[in-house]
């Protein structure tokens, strides 16, 4: 199962595009978990706790977003990543991932983007201390 934690699905939402891209590359079941723009910290914590109760080691939790660093959430994402794969976007601010959750959380696989020349994309966040998995950018508008 791939759990996609992202915005509500609309015709042109980020989550719609992310899910469509995933579907083009796998037939694994996808479950969208809606995170509204105004989600409260407690609601996000509850969502992560709920996931901890149901994930299995082969599951993937995808967080295609970055928020300002939060130590309490970092601990929860670290715990979740001990139960399954957690993949997070590095972020698009051209700043260190160490400023953002869940990208900076230990155990989380953080993914950044390379440009056409194979260099870190201008907007991609980066790190000098944590391994970032670099992937070529695409023409998907997300």
């Amino acid at each position: 199962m791939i759990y996609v934690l992202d915005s509500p699905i609309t015709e042109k939402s980020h989550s719609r595009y992310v899910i469509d891209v995933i579907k083009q590359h796998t037939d694994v079941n996808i479950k969208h978990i809606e995170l509204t723009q105004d989600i409260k910290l407690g609601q996000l914590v509850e969502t992560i706790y709920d996931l901890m109760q149901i994930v299995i080691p082969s599951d993937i939790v995808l967080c295609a977003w970055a928020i300002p660093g939060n130590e309490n959430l970092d601990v929860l994402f670290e715990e979740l990543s001990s139960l399954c794969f957690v993949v997070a976007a590095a972020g698009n601010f051209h700043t260190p991932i160490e400023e953002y959750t869940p990208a900076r959380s230990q155990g989380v696989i953080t993914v950044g983007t390379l440009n056409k020349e194979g260099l870190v994309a201008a907007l991609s966040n980066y790190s000098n201390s944590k391994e970032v998995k670099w992937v070529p950018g695409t023409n998907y508008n997300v």
Side-chain angles (χ1 to χ4, degrees):
M1 176 76 71
I2 299 173
Y3 296 92
V4 177
L5 280 63
D6 208 345
S7 60
I9 295 178
T10 64
E11 183 180 332
K12 295 184 178 184
S13 65
H14 184 266
S15 55
R16 164 72 64 203
Y17 291 116
V18 167
I19 290 169
D20 286 348
V21 169
I22 294 169
K23 285 181 179 179
Q24 290 176 19
H25 298 281
T26 185
D27 58 359
V28 172
N29 290 332
I30 300 169
K31 178 171 176 57
H32 174 250
I33 298 176
E34 188 174 296
L35 302 179
T36 60
Q37 187 72 18
D38 60 346
I39 190 169
K40 305 287 187 232
L41 179 61
Q43 293 168 303
L44 186 53
V45 166
E46 186 175 315
T47 298
I48 298 166
Y49 273 125
D50 289 347
L51 281 168
M52 286 184 204
Q53 306 308 309
I54 61 172
V55 295
I56 61 173
S58 60
D59 287 341
I60 298 170
V61 174
L62 175 62
C63 305
W65 43 268
I67 59 173
N70 180 294
E71 291 181 19
N72 293 327
L73 284 177
D74 291 336
V75 170
L76 290 176
F77 276 108
E78 183 175 341
E79 290 177 28
L80 181 59
S81 70
S82 72
L83 301 171
C84 67
F85 296 97
V86 179
V87 179
N92 294 320
F93 310 107
H94 192 67
T95 56
I97 65 167
E98 287 75 18
E99 297 177 22
Y100 300 96
T101 297
R104 71 183 191 177
S105 303
Q106 295 301 314
V108 170
I109 300 165
T110 304
V111 180
T113 305
L114 299 175
N115 62 22
K116 291 178 183 177
E117 290 78 38
L119 303 172
V120 175
L123 290 177
S124 187
N125 289 0
Y126 54 88
S127 177
N128 293 321
S129 61
K130 182 181 178 187
E131 180 182 13
V132 174
K133 303 293 185 181
W134 297 102
V135 296
T138 67
N139 291 328
Y140 294 115
N141 291 319
V142 295

